[in-house]
């Protein structure tokens, strides 16, 4: 890309701050382009250089900071973009400290973009502190009616990366807003896109003991069941829905919604053709979700279909340890199903042949043993030598 290459060749301090912001924002639309990536890294280094000066990043206005973070977040695996984002997080915290503990002047879109961008670096302490500060502002500002569905979903998704008390309070406030919109004839859940509903469910599920999050989950489950929208959901979204609903397995609406997901996966001909589009983690999460309703025949049939796919495609080596343990743990809820037993034996072979046992943590090992124990005759021969 010609523009990106020219940016790489420009020396430091040759660009105005608005130019830097517009470039990062523009290049982020082509995140897969290596030239745009290199140019954005060069711009991230310029931001870091500015942060070392006396004025630091105070020259940027709120919108510019939000746009920079949003742009850098398209390259979450690059060190320089992460460092520049952390520097911006530090600037947000300085502004908060100078404003009596508040983050003033940011629009709902800017707050949502900041939180969403910062969440791409969940292990960075400064990004975490800035996200908690945003959560505190969201909880205190009483502005949630001004946020769009996508912005609410982005906030919940971001807060779920730091599931402490402050992010929990802000998420509960958003959950109450979701519940309000469910009963508001002018602002209903049908206005939310599938990805937004799935992100909300996935985020709320990090607080399974919070009643407000539970009410919002049930409201979304009702929306999913009642309006026949499941065909609109991508595989990852269906997985997120199932995983979230399973945290409230005692609620009948969540159960009905999960059964509806199982039906969607099986399809009208019960051949489960959609499973070929699911990633490994999505399959493991779905099976765990279905296992919370082991007496439901549709959940059982969907689980058997996933077990059959796991056996047929010889893809077990591509599953990580957590996913393998989750599969075994879930299959064990249907010990009378031959296909689930065959899939479990295949997992035993994979674990032993690749000498992966040392890579499993204690909980995962416990789940494996518990699952293997449901088919003692089948697995005994494989495990005896170990």
């Amino acid at each position: 890309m010609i523009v990106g290459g020219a940016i790489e060749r420009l020396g430091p301090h040759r660009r105005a701050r608005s130019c830097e912001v517009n470039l990062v924002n523009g290049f982020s639309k082509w995140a897969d382009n290596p030239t745009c990536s290199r140019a954005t890294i060069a711009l991230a280094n310029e931001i870091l250089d500015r942060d070392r000066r006396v004025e630091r990043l105070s020259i940027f206005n709120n919108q510019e900071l939000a746009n920079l973070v949003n742009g850098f977040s398209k390259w979450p695996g690059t060190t320089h973009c992460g460092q520049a984002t952390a520097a911006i997080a530090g600037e947000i915290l300085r502004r908060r400290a100078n404003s009596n503990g508040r983050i003033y002047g940011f629009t709902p879109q800017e707050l949502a973009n900041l939180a969403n961008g910062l969440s791409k670096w969940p292990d960075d302490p400064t990004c975490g502190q800035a996200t908690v500060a945003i959560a505190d502002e969201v909880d205190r500002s009483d502005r949630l009616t001004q946020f769009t569905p996508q912005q609410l979903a982005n906030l919940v998704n971001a807060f779920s990366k730091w599931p402490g008390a402050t992010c929990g309070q802000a998420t509960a406030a958003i959950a109450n807003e979701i519940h309000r919109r469910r009963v508001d004839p002018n602002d209903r859940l049908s206005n939310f896109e599938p990805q937004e509903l799935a992100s909300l469910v996935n985020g709320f599920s990090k607080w399974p003991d919070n009643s407000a999050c539970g009410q919002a989950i049930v409201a979304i489950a009702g929306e999913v069941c009642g309006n026949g929208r499941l065909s609109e959901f991508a595989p990852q979204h269906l997985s997120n829905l199932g995983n979230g609903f399973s945290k409230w397995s005692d609620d009948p609406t969540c159960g009905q919604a999960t059964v509806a997901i199982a039906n969607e996966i099986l399809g009208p001909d019960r051949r489960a053709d959609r499973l070929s589009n699911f990633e490994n983690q999505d399959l493991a999460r779905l099976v765990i979700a279905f296992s919370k309703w082991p007496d439901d025949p549709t959940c059982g049939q969907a689980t058997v279909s996933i077990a059959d796919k796991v056996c047929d495609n010889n893809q077990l080596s591509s599953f990580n340890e957590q996913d393998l343990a989750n599969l075994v743990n879930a299959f064990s809820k249907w010990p009378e199903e031959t296909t689930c037993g065959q899939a479990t034996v295949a997992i035993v072979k994979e674990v032993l042949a690749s000498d992966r046992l040392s890579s499993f943590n204690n909980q995962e090992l416990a789940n494996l043993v518990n699952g293997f124990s449901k088919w003692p005759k089948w697995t005994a021969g494989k495990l005896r030598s170990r």
Side-chain angles (χ1 to χ4, degrees):
M1 184 175 256
I2 295 174
V3 175
I7 293 302
E8 289 183 86
R9 293 189 293 273
L10 279 178
H13 320 319
R14 295 279 299 278
R15 295 176 292 273
R17 75 171 199 272
S18 61
C19 178
E20 292 171 353
V21 175
N22 289 340
L23 287 169
V24 170
N25 187 53
F27 291 149
S28 71
K29 306 302 190 291
W30 290 276
D32 294 331
N33 185 288
T35 306
C36 289
S37 176
R38 291 194 299 269
T40 302
I41 290 171
L43 291 162
N45 282 326
E46 178 67 13
I47 296 298
L48 290 169
D49 185 58
R50 286 186 182 276
D51 192 47
R52 298 184 189 102
R53 303 177 206 170
V54 175
E55 72 275 14
R56 306 195 76 167
L57 301 182
S58 61
I59 62 170
F60 291 95
N61 63 37
N62 292 343
Q63 182 181 14
E64 290 167 345
L65 291 177
N67 285 345
L68 284 170
V69 168
N70 184 59
F72 291 145
S73 72
K74 302 304 190 295
W75 290 275
T78 60
T79 300
H80 297 289
C81 288
Q83 290 174 340
T85 299
I88 295 170
E91 174 62 24
I92 292 167
L93 292 172
R94 284 190 293 274
R95 294 186 185 189
R96 182 175 186 251
N98 293 328
S99 302
N100 298 318
R102 298 294 298 271
I103 302 177
Y104 291 116
F106 287 90
T107 67
Q109 181 177 2
E110 290 160 2
L111 289 173
N113 283 349
L114 282 171
N116 186 57
L118 295 170
S119 73
K120 302 302 190 293
W121 288 274
D123 296 325
D124 186 279
T126 309
C127 289
Q129 292 168 11
T131 303
V132 170
I134 292 170
D136 181 64
E137 181 62 27
V138 167
D139 189 36
R140 296 168 64 181
S141 65
D142 194 28
R143 289 196 292 163
L144 285 175
T145 57
Q146 301 173 21
F147 286 79
T148 67
Q150 182 178 9
Q151 291 161 4
L152 291 175
N154 285 347
L155 287 174
V156 170
N157 182 62
F159 296 158
S160 72
K161 304 298 175 32
W162 291 276
T166 303
C167 286
Q169 291 170 0
T171 301
I174 294 172
N176 284 325
E177 173 64 16
I178 296 297
H179 190 65
R180 183 197 67 78
R181 294 190 185 195
R182 175 178 177 264
V183 298
D184 186 339
N186 298 316
D187 195 5
R188 305 188 69 85
L189 290 182
S190 57
N191 296 329
F192 286 73
E193 296 294 328
Q195 182 177 3
E196 295 159 1
L197 292 173
S199 292
L200 286 169
V201 168
N202 189 55
F204 291 147
S205 71
K206 302 303 192 296
W207 289 274
D209 297 324
N210 185 284
S211 59
C213 289
Q215 288 180 336
I217 287 276
V218 171
I220 295 172
E223 171 67 21
V224 167
C225 280
N227 292 340
R229 300 178 60 187
L230 281 176
S231 61
E232 304 171 14
F233 286 77
Q236 183 181 8
H237 303 155
L238 290 174
S239 170
N240 285 345
L241 287 177
N243 181 63
F245 296 153
S246 71
K247 302 301 194 300
W248 285 270
S249 56
D250 293 333
D251 184 272
T253 306
C254 288
Q256 291 165 7
T258 304
V259 171
I261 292 171
N263 268 318
E264 174 63 27
I265 288 169
L266 290 169
D269 56 6
R270 318 311 274 177
R271 293 175 56 188
D273 291 332
R274 285 196 69 177
L275 285 179
S276 60
N277 299 320
F278 284 76
E279 300 292 335
N280 292 344
Q281 184 182 26
D282 298 330
L283 292 174
R285 296 178 83 186
L286 280 172
V287 169
I288 281 292
F290 297 151
S291 73
K292 298 300 170 55
W293 290 273
D295 297 327
D296 184 88
T298 306
C299 288
Q301 189 176 355
T303 299
V304 169
S305 294
I306 293 173
D308 188 56
K309 181 179 189 300
V310 166
C311 287
D312 281 353
N313 292 359
N314 194 27
Q315 58 179 351
L316 285 174
S317 61
S318 62
F319 282 84
N320 65 32
E321 286 71 23
Q322 183 180 8
D323 292 339
L324 288 175
N326 283 342
L327 286 172
V328 169
N329 187 50
F331 292 154
S332 71
K333 302 302 191 295
W334 287 274
E336 72 285 354
E337 288 288 349
T338 301
T339 306
C340 288
Q342 291 171 338
T344 300
V345 171
I347 292 172
V348 173
K349 292 178 180 178
E350 167 61 28
V351 169
L352 297 182
S354 56
D355 198 24
R356 295 176 64 175
L357 278 177
S358 61
S359 302
F360 289 81
N361 64 34
N362 291 341
Q363 182 62 56
E364 292 161 355
L365 288 172
N367 286 345
L368 285 175
V369 171
N370 180 65
F372 296 159
S373 70
K374 301 303 192 297
W375 292 277
K377 293 182 179 179
W378 292 20
T379 57
K382 304 297 179 185
L383 295 172
R384 188 176 294 119
S385 64
R386 309 301 285 246

